Amino acid sequence: MQRLRVGVVGVGHLGKEHARIVATLPEAELVGVVDANGAQAEAVAQRCGTQAYRDPRALLSRVDAVVVAVPTVHHRAVAADFLRQGIPLLIEKPMAVTVRQADELLELAERHRTFLQVGHIERFNPAFEQLQKRPMQPKYISCERYSGFSGRSTDIGVVLDLMIHDLDLVLTLVRAPLRSVEALGAAVLGGNEDLAQARLTFANGCVADLRASRVHPTPARHMHLFGPEGFTGVDFARRRLTVMRPNEHLRQNPLDAAMLASLKTDLFTRHIHVEEIDCDTAPRDQLTCELQDFLRAVRTGQSPRVDGAAGRAALAVASRILDAVHAPASLPMAA
Ligand SMILES: NC(=O)c1ccc[n+]([C@@H]2O[C@H](COP(=O)([O-])OP(=O)(O)OC[C@H]3O[C@@H](n4cnc5c(N)ncnc54)[C@H](O)[C@@H]3O)[C@@H](O)[C@H]2O)c1
């Protein structure tokens, strides 16, 4: 099998991990890394046994595929050069800063007969993969994504930095049009919001509440789902699922006195089945799975798991949330 020639543009915190993994994949050859910071490019190239460049255009004639992991404000400019040459991209999340930029990239990809994958890495979390194997019609979803302050991604706020992960996951689970968005947020350390809360209401009645903070003392990544089938909790950091399912008898019958008495003593032993599932058994890490999905899509021409349309959809909801966050507070109308 001929190896695909891959380059990585932006080898900072995340890009250096992309480069490290690409250099180990048998189906790829890491032909170069690019960083505007020449010393950083050199250091990563040396570790990965490849060439260092400072200008992304140096890769244009050398690659079959590229990973773009520069700060989000530069995604559009860097990605456009490669798409114009018909080179497929794995572009980090969020796909771009605005929906307009995302549309430009999608249009370029289509015009030049290539594609974009977007780095929504939680789709490859084994706990989320397990969740998707259990059909559910959620009526309510709650997501929390909290981190300490990393000092990175200050070009964007917490909605595009962290909440975008959960927006992509919620849109994957709820296949219904979005009816309304309510949100608020606050900037703590700079100009962009560091805390945000949003409520999405879908046309099928499902409601999703999302909370994100990047100035939180205790990191956490959780999702809870409620539906007629029961309750499911996802811990993305520990890669665990908690599934609680009421039995058929409980679901089908009204509560009488005998049942009420039994529920008090035997709720979780007889009536609700509780399953704790450890999903942290996958042989490969999420970033490797994401990169392998990208290389498979390049090789076969089949869609990647997270295509450009999915990246754009998450960004479109994020933009509505940001509009609500930045809307002037509504004041009571004067009499
Ligand atoms: N999928 C995830 O979970 C995840 C996690 C972290 C970051 N990200 C995303 O990855 C991207 C990079 O984030 P990071 O934390 O690695 O940032 P970073 O600041 O650590 O690294 C970015 C690197 O890009 C370089 N750079 C900047 N402009 C460039 C240009 N025009 N050409 C070449 N190099 C350039 C910088 O010198 C730096 O080394 C962002 O879009 C971010 O949102 C995704």
Side-chain angles (χ1 to χ4, degrees), residues 175-234:
R175 297 286 180 181
L178 183 59
R179 185 165 279 166
S180 69
V181 173
E182 297 161 82
L184 49 90
V188 181
L189 302 173
N192 291 317
E193 79 290 345
D194 299 300
L195 312 163
Q197 179 153 347
R199 167 164 287 197
L200 312 181
T201 304
F202 291 89
N204 66 357
C206 181
V207 171
D209 280 333
L210 302 99
R211 282 172 288 278
S213 167
R214 55 183 183 182
V215 286
H216 205 272
T218 43
R221 293 185 270 151
H222 292 133
M223 177 183 278
H224 296 110
L225 304 99
F226 299 83
E229 307 86 352
F231 161 90
T232 306
V234 188

Side-chain angles (χ1 to χ4, degrees), residues 9-15 34-37 40 54 56 68-72 74-75 78 92-94 119-121 152-153 155-156 160-161 165 290:
V9 182
V11 284
H13 171 76
L14 190 58
V34 181
D35 203 289
N37 175 341
Q40 178 70 4
R54 285 185 69 167
V68 175
V70 294
T72 307
H74 301 301
H75 281 191
V78 170
E92 264 307 333
K93 55 48 59 180
H120 284 292
I121 195 167
R152 290 179 284 103
S153 293
D155 56 324
I156 51 176
L160 292 181
D161 183 8
H165 286 290
E290 181 183 80

Side-chain angles (χ1 to χ4, degrees), residues 54-77:
R54 285 185 69 167
D55 185 341
R57 287 168 297 186
L59 288 181
L60 284 174
S61 59
R62 295 182 162 90
V63 290
D64 302 309
V66 163
V67 178
V68 175
V70 294
T72 307
V73 289
H74 301 301
H75 281 191
R76 194 204 67 81

Side-chain angles (χ1 to χ4, degrees), residues 45-318:
Q46 203 165 26
R47 276 204 298 278
C48 298
T50 190
Q51 293 296 314
Y53 302 97
R54 285 185 69 167
D55 185 341
R57 287 168 297 186
L59 288 181
L60 284 174
S61 59
R62 295 182 162 90
V63 290
D64 302 309
V66 163
V67 178
V68 175
V70 294
T72 307
V73 289
H74 301 301
H75 281 191
R76 194 204 67 81
V78 170
D81 281 342
F82 290 102
L83 294 175
R84 283 194 195 97
Q85 299 296 317
I87 296 169
L89 298 180
L90 167 53
I91 187 164
E92 264 307 333
K93 55 48 59 180
M95 181 175 173
V97 179
T98 63
V99 176
R100 191 173 169 174
Q101 291 179 354
D103 283 338
E104 279 174 40
L105 294 180
L106 287 171
E107 196 268 323
L108 273 178
E110 192 176 326
R111 190 168 353 132
H112 296 280
R113 295 166 192 255
T114 187
F115 76 92
L116 289 147
Q117 175 172 342
V118 183
H120 284 292
I121 195 167
E122 292 288 39
R123 290 264 211 115
F124 296 87
N125 189 308
F128 189 74
E129 290 176 332
Q130 274 296 327
L131 175 74
Q132 285 194 289
K133 288 182 187 155
R134 292 154 194 272
M136 195 176 183
Q137 307 279 317
K139 296 301 289 179
Y140 179 71
I141 305 177
S142 140
C143 306
E144 289 101 36
R145 192 166 289 263
Y146 302 140
S147 76
F149 183 62
S150 71
R152 290 179 284 103
S153 293
T154 50
D155 56 324
I156 51 176
V158 74
V159 172
L160 292 181
D161 183 8
L162 297 185
M163 192 183 278
I164 193 99
H165 286 290
D166 294 312
L167 293 173
D168 171 64
L169 299 177
V170 167
L171 295 182
T172 303
L173 294 168
V174 185
R175 297 286 180 181
L178 183 59
R179 185 165 279 166
S180 69
V181 173
E182 297 161 82
L184 49 90
V188 181
L189 302 173
N192 291 317
E193 79 290 345
D194 299 300
L195 312 163
Q197 179 153 347
R199 167 164 287 197
L200 312 181
T201 304
F202 291 89
N204 66 357
C206 181
V207 171
D209 280 333
L210 302 99
R211 282 172 288 278
S213 167
R214 55 183 183 182
V215 286
H216 205 272
T218 43
R221 293 185 270 151
H222 292 133
M223 177 183 278
H224 296 110
L225 304 99
F226 299 83
E229 307 86 352
F231 161 90
T232 306
V234 188
D235 184 333
F236 290 96
R238 294 174 64 216
R239 299 163 162 211
R240 288 183 76 85
L241 277 190
T242 304
V243 181
M244 296 193 197
R245 288 183 188 270
N247 64 24
E248 268 319 291
H249 185 77
L250 190 59
R251 287 178 59 180
Q252 302 298 336
N253 294 290
L255 294 181
D256 57 19
M259 176 67 99
L260 273 175
S262 169
L263 286 175
K264 280 187 191 169
T265 53
D266 303 324
L267 183 63
F268 290 109
T269 47
R270 276 185 58 195
H271 303 289
I272 295 184
H273 179 242
V274 182
E275 210 183 343
E276 292 282 351
I277 305 160
D278 178 7
C279 310
D280 201 11
T281 52
R284 290 164 299 144
D285 64 279
Q286 283 167 234
L287 199 56
T288 303
C289 294
E290 181 183 80
L291 282 161
Q292 287 186 315
D293 189 48
F294 176 51
L295 297 177
R296 178 196 57 77
V298 175
R299 192 173 293 288
T300 63
Q302 291 168 358
S303 278
R305 188 177 300 186
V306 188
D307 61 12
R312 189 230 186 249
L315 185 60
V317 181

